[in-house]
Amino acid sequence: MAELYRYAAFISYSSKDAKFAQRLHRALESYGIPSSLGKFDLIGGGKQNRIYPVFRDREELSAGHLGDQIEANLRASAALIVVCSPNGAASPWVQKEIEFFAAQGRHAKIFAIIPDTAPLTDEQGADCTQTCFPPAFRGDALSGDKLEPLAADARKGKDGFRNAWLKIVAGMVGVTPGQIIDRDRKRRRQQALTLGSGVAALVITAIAAINLPAGERVRSAMTTAAAERVERQQIESAAFALAGLPADGDINPLHSRQADDVVGQAGLLVSIVGRFDTGYARTHSPDFRFAVLEETDRDTDIETYFLADLRTGERTLLEGARMDSAIDDEFRFSPDGRALINYGFDEILFWNTETGEGTQIGGEYAVAEDGLSLVAVQRVGETARGTLYSFRQGSAPIDLGEIPGDTVDDWSTSAPEPRLCYGFSRRERYLLHRTAAGEGILRDLHTGRTVSFGSIGCGRFFSQFSDHRASIVSSDDERYFAVLTPDGTTAIHDATGALRINVGRYWLNAIYGHIALMFDFDLPPPYPRRYLNIETGREVYVGLANENSSNGQTFLIFDEGGPPRLRDATTLQDTPLNFSGDAQQDIDISVDGRYLVLRRQDAAFLYDVESRRETPLNVDRSASVYFYDAEGHQILSHLAPQGARARYLRISPRDGQGLVWDLDSGRQEPLHSEWLWSPNRRYVLVRAADGRTTVRDLHSNAPDVTLDAQLDVDYIRTYGTTPFISDAFVAFSSSGARTVYSIDGSRTHRLENLVGNQFTPSGDFWIYSQRLASDLPRLSFQYDVATGVTTPLGTAGASVPSDEDASENLEPYYFTSEQRENLPAVNYLLRDPRAIAQGRGGALRASVCRLSADYIDPFPASVRDEQTASADGNGAALYADLEGRPWNPCDWRGLLAVFPNRARGDGWFEGMRQWLRLISVRWNLGGRDYACEETTSAASAETRARRARMCERFAAPAAPVPT
């Protein structure tokens, strides 16, 4: 418990320092010790956390014995504060008071403070600090003992007055000076902010009373300007549409319903994540960061190609790029988007999309089917050198060294043909090439690992599965690789390079799993087949087998004079068959060997091996047949899982109606040959006998869903428009209308008067355009299939990227475009349909700006440039409303935008800054109007750069608005 005192402190000073002592007295008694430091009662039973009362002797002594009263008050004081100056050092009263207080045994509670009136140096320039201290502090008092009190220095250049007496307070309560000074600064800042906010509120209230009517008028004018432009200049109207809504921090939140509506008409509700202003988008990277743009010179009809960064708007000329009509996918991006490849007949060009640097590859080359690996060979005389380019991860080119070749007889020509020894495996994960020393090197294109096959020869296999340039055949799963040896035999290796078997001089046709199929061309035709188990080295069969399943596990055997048999390549067990025919008829075998499709003369039949029953298929022998498993996956050798079983048979005749056959139940359903399965292979679309369409869920036993739709077969045949099925919905077109059904039939969305419609690659969104009347503009919309929500896109046309990569990409981005009036350029905006602006009024504006601010046109110079605007009356009026404001409406702030916001790029008092600049510009107070590229005070460097690029491209004077 604190000792009981009457005073918290006793100030001892010379009468010549009375003014400083009086300031110190007021400061101490008015100060409240921060509660965060703790609870303090300096006198016991007094005011908590206060330095009160403080005794100042010259003022508070009453009449009577002076010496007795001073001593009594010194005893009643918790601390002694000595004002140390040359005046105090010469005062006998100050010396006596120090000596008396020290005699009470309270040396630790004596504090010294040098007043700000004390000199720093004497007449000779020497430091005179020591002359400020009384003798008791210099060691010549109290029997020679030197007192060393906590000393604070209020002089300028030292502690200063406030910090000096705060140091005294820190010593009195037992905390460090830093603690109490730091908390004092924070408290004073908070007090200043509170006071400033109050003053600002009063100023804003006064300003608001003056500006509210003007603000409403400006918004109304902006909304009207947007409505006048939205039909013919939709993209330019966006800035006016946003300016018609309350900005962040606006005092007046009121707005018109038309202001909300025109934002949707301007196509601002769906997020804009990139754009370019000219050209046609040929293709794009998988992440939609880059696009290849094609521009055609109208005079020369010559195409020029550019690499466009859709995020920044920057474009790089693709020098030498061209399109060859006979080549599919002339431009292709790597999966990570870091490389762009342009294929031609006699050269390849590729670019690093990050640096824009291009490389030209001439001479002979071989490209993997996925387009992501290629070998380029430069011939110099009799030698050739190869370089491997892999675009999967943007890796550096690999020098393959000299690639020798042989002159081999081409089976399709009579003349020998030179061949170089290199090529890709079946699924193109591996590259085989022969070195100058004749060594065969197998390179894993995914990992870069290489293995040696030893010495190999050079030639070509008679195989449907071998690269025509290379001596390589691989199994579908790329476990085994067959190469020619220098002596002309065939060796089969595994992926480690180990030799598994040498099959001699037979012609290798294919490797199915672990079964190798070979022909013996040394014998007269019909050439016998040889089936070899690579893992056991055993011959499974030699003879006139007619056909094998897609994984080579089963095959047909026709023996002269005997019935056909089906042999299992693993168990070598034969199953006798009772159908009639010979080895020359066309037969398909299901992957599990259960079913055979037989083609004889002009008819086709299904044969069940287990029941030995033959059923007519009622189609001619030219019909295509496909087997599917229970989940709707087409069964191919490299896709079939272990133990795959055929469940469905799809029959697609060249002309007429196809059908799907449930092999378990025997049920047959008609279907159009161009449509059947959903992308996830879960749903199958079939047509009932009454013409209605049903959806069957292959993953459940739920009843089929019948859709209220009938196929317009004549319309399909005339226009080639077939129904569309995704994992979530089914869509039908008929005579200019389209109907979308959810996959369970619970929701229907039908539209007429369509002038264009497409689905995004993932099938989640339907983008369509309508013209409701001949004299009305085309309107575009986005329909979310999952939720049934329709969002307007305005008058812009919509385009879903159609390259093959897009169909496998989960990102549902699409482009909208607008032909600017009186300008040749077409503007393309890349949109993300999953991000939709929400709310009304100011909330809607904030949402649009958060999603799309960097890709919205600035106001055109026709209303922001005084000289240009003065030529048109309407432009002059808009200029008057926009003068002194930023060119992008997303950068406008109201007076209540006080606090910093990093996401929006706002600094402190952003709204007040803009208002003061507006006033200084309009009232000719020396203010400078905003430049087009200027934005908010704390905007990021990226935002500033994007604003500048948008100004370079879109702030040119626009054509007058038609009236």
Side-chain angles (χ1 to χ4, degrees), residues 600-631:
R600 305 193 197 103
Q601 299 177 350
D602 293 330
F605 302 85
L606 178 69
Y607 182 85
D608 186 333
V609 174
E610 289 187 2
S611 66
R612 305 179 71 179
R613 185 174 59 189
E614 188 175 303
T615 305
L617 293 178
N618 299 320
V619 294
D620 63 34
R621 62 174 293 141
S622 64
S624 299
V625 295
Y626 308 93
F627 288 101
Y628 294 82
D629 63 15
E631 295 186 347

mmCIF file of all heavy atoms in Angstrom, residues 600-631:
data_model
loop_
_atom_site.group_PDB
_atom_site.id
_atom_site.type_symbol
_atom_site.label_atom_id
_atom_site.label_comp_id
_atom_site.label_asym_id
_atom_site.label_seq_id
_atom_site.Cartn_x
_atom_site.Cartn_y
_atom_site.Cartn_z
ATOM 1 N N ARG A 600 -21.116 -59.275 -93.084
ATOM 2 C CA ARG A 600 -21.174 -60.171 -94.231
ATOM 3 C C ARG A 600 -21.981 -59.509 -95.328
ATOM 4 O O ARG A 600 -23.105 -59.046 -95.081
ATOM 5 C CB ARG A 600 -21.832 -61.492 -93.864
ATOM 6 C CG ARG A 600 -21.226 -62.220 -92.702
ATOM 7 C CD ARG A 600 -21.788 -63.656 -92.658
ATOM 8 N NE ARG A 600 -21.553 -64.243 -91.353
ATOM 9 C CZ ARG A 600 -22.496 -64.374 -90.433
ATOM 10 N NH1 ARG A 600 -23.723 -63.950 -90.675
ATOM 11 N NH2 ARG A 600 -22.211 -64.931 -89.278
ATOM 12 N N GLN A 601 -21.459 -59.496 -96.493
ATOM 13 C CA GLN A 601 -22.144 -58.926 -97.655
ATOM 14 C C GLN A 601 -22.688 -57.537 -97.308
ATOM 15 O O GLN A 601 -21.931 -56.630 -97.042
ATOM 16 C CB GLN A 601 -23.245 -59.894 -98.116
ATOM 17 C CG GLN A 601 -22.708 -61.258 -98.542
ATOM 18 C CD GLN A 601 -23.790 -62.232 -98.925
ATOM 19 O OE1 GLN A 601 -24.976 -61.994 -98.710
ATOM 20 N NE2 GLN A 601 -23.374 -63.364 -99.503
ATOM 21 N N ASP A 602 -23.997 -57.353 -97.198
ATOM 22 C CA ASP A 602 -24.560 -56.026 -96.934
ATOM 23 C C ASP A 602 -25.205 -55.927 -95.559
ATOM 24 O O ASP A 602 -26.035 -55.034 -95.320
ATOM 25 C CB ASP A 602 -25.608 -55.677 -98.004
ATOM 26 C CG ASP A 602 -24.979 -55.488 -99.372
ATOM 27 O OD1 ASP A 602 -23.807 -55.066 -99.412
ATOM 28 O OD2 ASP A 602 -25.655 -55.773 -100.372
ATOM 29 N N ALA A 603 -24.876 -56.790 -94.649
ATOM 30 C CA ALA A 603 -25.529 -56.776 -93.338
ATOM 31 C C ALA A 603 -24.484 -56.931 -92.232
ATOM 32 O O ALA A 603 -23.356 -57.353 -92.466
ATOM 33 C CB ALA A 603 -26.572 -57.899 -93.256
ATOM 34 N N ALA A 604 -24.901 -56.548 -91.011
ATOM 35 C CA ALA A 604 -24.038 -56.669 -89.834
ATOM 36 C C ALA A 604 -24.806 -57.410 -88.746
ATOM 37 O O ALA A 604 -26.040 -57.271 -88.621
ATOM 38 C CB ALA A 604 -23.594 -55.300 -89.343
ATOM 39 N N PHE A 605 -24.058 -58.195 -87.924
ATOM 40 C CA PHE A 605 -24.681 -59.005 -86.891
ATOM 41 C C PHE A 605 -23.868 -58.880 -85.609
ATOM 42 O O PHE A 605 -22.651 -58.653 -85.650
ATOM 43 C CB PHE A 605 -24.718 -60.478 -87.328
ATOM 44 C CG PHE A 605 -25.443 -60.716 -88.620
ATOM 45 C CD1 PHE A 605 -24.764 -60.566 -89.834
ATOM 46 C CD2 PHE A 605 -26.774 -61.071 -88.630
ATOM 47 C CE1 PHE A 605 -25.426 -60.791 -91.029
ATOM 48 C CE2 PHE A 605 -27.431 -61.296 -89.831
ATOM 49 C CZ PHE A 605 -26.778 -61.149 -91.029
ATOM 50 N N LEU A 606 -24.549 -59.036 -84.464
ATOM 51 C CA LEU A 606 -23.895 -59.074 -83.158
ATOM 52 C C LEU A 606 -23.872 -60.514 -82.686
ATOM 53 O O LEU A 606 -24.915 -61.189 -82.635
ATOM 54 C CB LEU A 606 -24.633 -58.196 -82.152
ATOM 55 C CG LEU A 606 -24.049 -58.208 -80.737
ATOM 56 C CD1 LEU A 606 -22.684 -57.509 -80.719
ATOM 57 C CD2 LEU A 606 -25.000 -57.548 -79.748
ATOM 58 N N TYR A 607 -22.680 -60.999 -82.336
ATOM 59 C CA TYR A 607 -22.537 -62.381 -81.873
ATOM 60 C C TYR A 607 -22.102 -62.361 -80.416
ATOM 61 O O TYR A 607 -21.105 -61.733 -80.042
ATOM 62 C CB TYR A 607 -21.496 -63.117 -82.722
ATOM 63 C CG TYR A 607 -21.321 -64.574 -82.342
ATOM 64 C CD1 TYR A 607 -22.178 -65.542 -82.878
ATOM 65 C CD2 TYR A 607 -20.325 -64.964 -81.463
ATOM 66 C CE1 TYR A 607 -22.033 -66.879 -82.539
ATOM 67 C CE2 TYR A 607 -20.164 -66.303 -81.111
ATOM 68 C CZ TYR A 607 -21.025 -67.248 -81.641
ATOM 69 O OH TYR A 607 -20.878 -68.570 -81.302
ATOM 70 N N ASP A 608 -22.889 -63.064 -79.556
ATOM 71 C CA ASP A 608 -22.589 -63.189 -78.130
ATOM 72 C C ASP A 608 -21.817 -64.489 -77.931
ATOM 73 O O ASP A 608 -22.352 -65.587 -78.177
ATOM 74 C CB ASP A 608 -23.884 -63.209 -77.329
ATOM 75 C CG ASP A 608 -23.631 -63.183 -75.822
ATOM 76 O OD1 ASP A 608 -22.561 -63.642 -75.386
ATOM 77 O OD2 ASP A 608 -24.519 -62.705 -75.086
ATOM 78 N N VAL A 609 -20.544 -64.365 -77.492
ATOM 79 C CA VAL A 609 -19.686 -65.542 -77.366
ATOM 80 C C VAL A 609 -20.215 -66.497 -76.306
ATOM 81 O O VAL A 609 -20.143 -67.723 -76.456
ATOM 82 C CB VAL A 609 -18.237 -65.115 -77.055
ATOM 83 C CG1 VAL A 609 -17.346 -66.335 -76.776
ATOM 84 C CG2 VAL A 609 -17.662 -64.297 -78.198
ATOM 85 N N GLU A 610 -20.768 -65.952 -75.201
ATOM 86 C CA GLU A 610 -21.225 -66.816 -74.118
ATOM 87 C C GLU A 610 -22.474 -67.606 -74.518
ATOM 88 O O GLU A 610 -22.565 -68.814 -74.291
ATOM 89 C CB GLU A 610 -21.505 -65.998 -72.857
ATOM 90 C CG GLU A 610 -20.252 -65.461 -72.194
ATOM 91 C CD GLU A 610 -20.556 -64.795 -70.855
ATOM 92 O OE1 GLU A 610 -21.741 -64.791 -70.453
ATOM 93 O OE2 GLU A 610 -19.607 -64.288 -70.230
ATOM 94 N N SER A 611 -23.452 -66.917 -75.095
ATOM 95 C CA SER A 611 -24.695 -67.602 -75.466
ATOM 96 C C SER A 611 -24.623 -68.227 -76.855
ATOM 97 O O SER A 611 -25.512 -68.994 -77.241
ATOM 98 C CB SER A 611 -25.867 -66.630 -75.416
ATOM 99 O OG SER A 611 -25.722 -65.627 -76.424
ATOM 100 N N ARG A 612 -23.579 -67.847 -77.607
ATOM 101 C CA ARG A 612 -23.370 -68.339 -78.972
ATOM 102 C C ARG A 612 -24.587 -68.016 -79.835
ATOM 103 O O ARG A 612 -24.981 -68.803 -80.695
ATOM 104 C CB ARG A 612 -23.079 -69.856 -78.955
ATOM 105 C CG ARG A 612 -21.909 -70.221 -78.056
ATOM 106 C CD ARG A 612 -21.656 -71.702 -78.037
ATOM 107 N NE ARG A 612 -21.105 -72.172 -79.315
ATOM 108 C CZ ARG A 612 -20.769 -73.445 -79.558
ATOM 109 N NH1 ARG A 612 -20.919 -74.357 -78.610
ATOM 110 N NH2 ARG A 612 -20.310 -73.797 -80.739
ATOM 111 N N ARG A 613 -25.137 -66.788 -79.577
ATOM 112 C CA ARG A 613 -26.311 -66.361 -80.306
ATOM 113 C C ARG A 613 -25.947 -65.222 -81.239
ATOM 114 O O ARG A 613 -25.210 -64.309 -80.857
ATOM 115 C CB ARG A 613 -27.405 -65.920 -79.339
ATOM 116 C CG ARG A 613 -28.728 -65.569 -80.035
ATOM 117 C CD ARG A 613 -29.802 -65.282 -78.996
ATOM 118 N NE ARG A 613 -29.403 -64.183 -78.123
ATOM 119 C CZ ARG A 613 -30.073 -63.826 -77.014
ATOM 120 N NH1 ARG A 613 -31.128 -64.550 -76.646
ATOM 121 N NH2 ARG A 613 -29.670 -62.816 -76.283
ATOM 122 N N GLU A 614 -26.483 -65.222 -82.430
ATOM 123 C CA GLU A 614 -26.214 -64.215 -83.455
ATOM 124 C C GLU A 614 -27.491 -63.400 -83.679
ATOM 125 O O GLU A 614 -28.559 -63.961 -83.919
ATOM 126 C CB GLU A 614 -25.768 -64.921 -84.741
ATOM 127 C CG GLU A 614 -25.274 -63.988 -85.820
ATOM 128 C CD GLU A 614 -24.735 -64.779 -87.012
ATOM 129 O OE1 GLU A 614 -23.811 -65.603 -86.808
ATOM 130 O OE2 GLU A 614 -25.238 -64.568 -88.129
ATOM 131 N N THR A 615 -27.371 -62.040 -83.604
ATOM 132 C CA THR A 615 -28.537 -61.165 -83.718
ATOM 133 C C THR A 615 -28.308 -60.155 -84.832
ATOM 134 O O THR A 615 -27.266 -59.473 -84.847
ATOM 135 C CB THR A 615 -28.794 -60.402 -82.401
ATOM 136 O OG1 THR A 615 -28.904 -61.356 -81.337
ATOM 137 C CG2 THR A 615 -30.052 -59.560 -82.490
ATOM 138 N N PRO A 616 -29.246 -60.007 -85.771
ATOM 139 C CA PRO A 616 -29.076 -58.986 -86.813
ATOM 140 C C PRO A 616 -29.096 -57.575 -86.219
ATOM 141 O O PRO A 616 -29.860 -57.277 -85.300
ATOM 142 C CB PRO A 616 -30.296 -59.212 -87.724
ATOM 143 C CG PRO A 616 -30.799 -60.575 -87.396
ATOM 144 C CD PRO A 616 -30.462 -60.820 -85.962
ATOM 145 N N LEU A 617 -28.266 -56.698 -86.735
ATOM 146 C CA LEU A 617 -28.214 -55.305 -86.267
ATOM 147 C C LEU A 617 -29.046 -54.373 -87.138
ATOM 148 O O LEU A 617 -29.166 -53.182 -86.834
ATOM 149 C CB LEU A 617 -26.753 -54.806 -86.245
ATOM 150 C CG LEU A 617 -25.844 -55.487 -85.219
ATOM 151 C CD1 LEU A 617 -24.428 -54.931 -85.337
ATOM 152 C CD2 LEU A 617 -26.367 -55.297 -83.813
ATOM 153 N N ASN A 618 -29.579 -54.875 -88.222
ATOM 154 C CA ASN A 618 -30.452 -54.091 -89.101
ATOM 155 C C ASN A 618 -29.762 -52.854 -89.669
ATOM 156 O O ASN A 618 -30.376 -51.796 -89.830
ATOM 157 C CB ASN A 618 -31.737 -53.683 -88.372
ATOM 158 C CG ASN A 618 -32.541 -54.892 -87.924
ATOM 159 O OD1 ASN A 618 -32.651 -55.901 -88.649
ATOM 160 N ND2 ASN A 618 -33.078 -54.819 -86.718
ATOM 161 N N VAL A 619 -28.474 -52.948 -89.895
ATOM 162 C CA VAL A 619 -27.714 -51.893 -90.565
ATOM 163 C C VAL A 619 -26.805 -52.569 -91.580
ATOM 164 O O VAL A 619 -26.526 -53.780 -91.492
ATOM 165 C CB VAL A 619 -26.868 -51.046 -89.586
ATOM 166 C CG1 VAL A 619 -27.754 -50.259 -88.656
ATOM 167 C CG2 VAL A 619 -25.902 -51.948 -88.799
ATOM 168 N N ASP A 620 -26.356 -51.796 -92.560
ATOM 169 C CA ASP A 620 -25.469 -52.411 -93.539
ATOM 170 C C ASP A 620 -24.067 -52.553 -92.960
ATOM 171 O O ASP A 620 -23.752 -52.026 -91.902
ATOM 172 C CB ASP A 620 -25.469 -51.616 -94.845
ATOM 173 C CG ASP A 620 -24.939 -50.205 -94.680
ATOM 174 O OD1 ASP A 620 -24.021 -50.014 -93.852
ATOM 175 O OD2 ASP A 620 -25.438 -49.293 -95.361
ATOM 176 N N ARG A 621 -23.202 -53.244 -93.651
ATOM 177 C CA ARG A 621 -21.878 -53.586 -93.138
ATOM 178 C C ARG A 621 -20.950 -52.381 -93.014
ATOM 179 O O ARG A 621 -19.916 -52.443 -92.355
ATOM 180 C CB ARG A 621 -21.223 -54.649 -94.010
ATOM 181 C CG ARG A 621 -20.990 -54.228 -95.454
ATOM 182 C CD ARG A 621 -20.214 -55.285 -96.206
ATOM 183 N NE ARG A 621 -18.858 -55.397 -95.696
ATOM 184 C CZ ARG A 621 -18.214 -56.542 -95.545
ATOM 185 N NH1 ARG A 621 -18.819 -57.682 -95.824
ATOM 186 N NH2 ARG A 621 -16.980 -56.561 -95.109
ATOM 187 N N SER A 622 -21.327 -51.217 -93.617
ATOM 188 C CA SER A 622 -20.465 -50.032 -93.547
ATOM 189 C C SER A 622 -20.654 -49.238 -92.256
ATOM 190 O O SER A 622 -19.915 -48.288 -92.001
ATOM 191 C CB SER A 622 -20.741 -49.115 -94.744
ATOM 192 O OG SER A 622 -22.074 -48.615 -94.693
ATOM 193 N N ALA A 623 -21.626 -49.593 -91.433
ATOM 194 C CA ALA A 623 -21.891 -48.844 -90.198
ATOM 195 C C ALA A 623 -20.705 -48.948 -89.242
ATOM 196 O O ALA A 623 -20.046 -49.985 -89.142
ATOM 197 C CB ALA A 623 -23.156 -49.363 -89.532
ATOM 198 N N SER A 624 -20.451 -47.864 -88.536
ATOM 199 C CA SER A 624 -19.390 -47.854 -87.511
ATOM 200 C C SER A 624 -19.968 -48.372 -86.199
ATOM 201 O O SER A 624 -21.118 -48.076 -85.850
ATOM 202 C CB SER A 624 -18.852 -46.442 -87.314
ATOM 203 O OG SER A 624 -18.292 -45.944 -88.503
ATOM 204 N N VAL A 625 -19.189 -49.154 -85.481
ATOM 205 C CA VAL A 625 -19.628 -49.684 -84.189
ATOM 206 C C VAL A 625 -18.589 -49.333 -83.129
ATOM 207 O O VAL A 625 -17.391 -49.320 -83.401
ATOM 208 C CB VAL A 625 -19.848 -51.209 -84.242
ATOM 209 C CG1 VAL A 625 -20.985 -51.557 -85.170
ATOM 210 C CG2 VAL A 625 -18.570 -51.925 -84.632
ATOM 211 N N TYR A 626 -19.070 -49.021 -81.904
ATOM 212 C CA TYR A 626 -18.199 -48.659 -80.798
ATOM 213 C C TYR A 626 -18.721 -49.340 -79.541
ATOM 214 O O TYR A 626 -19.928 -49.333 -79.269
ATOM 215 C CB TYR A 626 -18.181 -47.146 -80.581
ATOM 216 C CG TYR A 626 -17.873 -46.351 -81.829
ATOM 217 C CD1 TYR A 626 -18.910 -45.878 -82.640
ATOM 218 C CD2 TYR A 626 -16.565 -46.074 -82.199
ATOM 219 C CE1 TYR A 626 -18.639 -45.154 -83.793
ATOM 220 C CE2 TYR A 626 -16.280 -45.343 -83.349
ATOM 221 C CZ TYR A 626 -17.327 -44.895 -84.139
ATOM 222 O OH TYR A 626 -17.062 -44.180 -85.281
ATOM 223 N N PHE A 627 -17.817 -49.928 -78.784
ATOM 224 C CA PHE A 627 -18.188 -50.545 -77.509
ATOM 225 C C PHE A 627 -17.901 -49.558 -76.376
ATOM 226 O O PHE A 627 -16.888 -48.850 -76.393
ATOM 227 C CB PHE A 627 -17.412 -51.846 -77.283
ATOM 228 C CG PHE A 627 -17.861 -52.979 -78.160
ATOM 229 C CD1 PHE A 627 -17.144 -53.327 -79.297
ATOM 230 C CD2 PHE A 627 -19.011 -53.695 -77.838
ATOM 231 C CE1 PHE A 627 -17.559 -54.379 -80.103
ATOM 232 C CE2 PHE A 627 -19.431 -54.752 -78.656
ATOM 233 C CZ PHE A 627 -18.715 -55.090 -79.784
ATOM 234 N N TYR A 628 -18.781 -49.550 -75.346
ATOM 235 C CA TYR A 628 -18.632 -48.682 -74.183
ATOM 236 C C TYR A 628 -18.795 -49.528 -72.928
ATOM 237 O O TYR A 628 -19.510 -50.538 -72.917
ATOM 238 C CB TYR A 628 -19.687 -47.571 -74.182
ATOM 239 C CG TYR A 628 -19.540 -46.589 -75.319
ATOM 240 C CD1 TYR A 628 -20.050 -46.869 -76.578
ATOM 241 C CD2 TYR A 628 -18.886 -45.380 -75.138
ATOM 242 C CE1 TYR A 628 -19.913 -45.976 -77.629
ATOM 243 C CE2 TYR A 628 -18.744 -44.470 -76.173
ATOM 244 C CZ TYR A 628 -19.251 -44.774 -77.419
ATOM 245 O OH TYR A 628 -19.117 -43.893 -78.458
ATOM 246 N N ASP A 629 -18.140 -49.065 -71.859
ATOM 247 C CA ASP A 629 -18.315 -49.776 -70.586
ATOM 248 C C ASP A 629 -19.563 -49.254 -69.872
ATOM 249 O O ASP A 629 -20.306 -48.419 -70.409
ATOM 250 C CB ASP A 629 -17.064 -49.656 -69.713
ATOM 251 C CG ASP A 629 -16.749 -48.225 -69.303
ATOM 252 O OD1 ASP A 629 -17.634 -47.347 -69.432
ATOM 253 O OD2 ASP A 629 -15.621 -47.964 -68.863
ATOM 254 N N ALA A 630 -19.794 -49.700 -68.649
ATOM 255 C CA ALA A 630 -21.029 -49.368 -67.938
ATOM 256 C C ALA A 630 -21.136 -47.885 -67.612
ATOM 257 O O ALA A 630 -22.230 -47.373 -67.386
ATOM 258 C CB ALA A 630 -21.112 -50.174 -66.638
ATOM 259 N N GLU A 631 -20.006 -47.159 -67.581
ATOM 260 C CA GLU A 631 -20.035 -45.728 -67.284
ATOM 261 C C GLU A 631 -19.986 -44.880 -68.536
ATOM 262 O O GLU A 631 -19.831 -43.659 -68.464
ATOM 263 C CB GLU A 631 -18.866 -45.360 -66.361
ATOM 264 C CG GLU A 631 -18.979 -46.002 -64.984
ATOM 265 C CD GLU A 631 -17.897 -45.520 -64.048
ATOM 266 O OE1 GLU A 631 -16.930 -44.880 -64.530
ATOM 267 O OE2 GLU A 631 -17.999 -45.787 -62.844
#
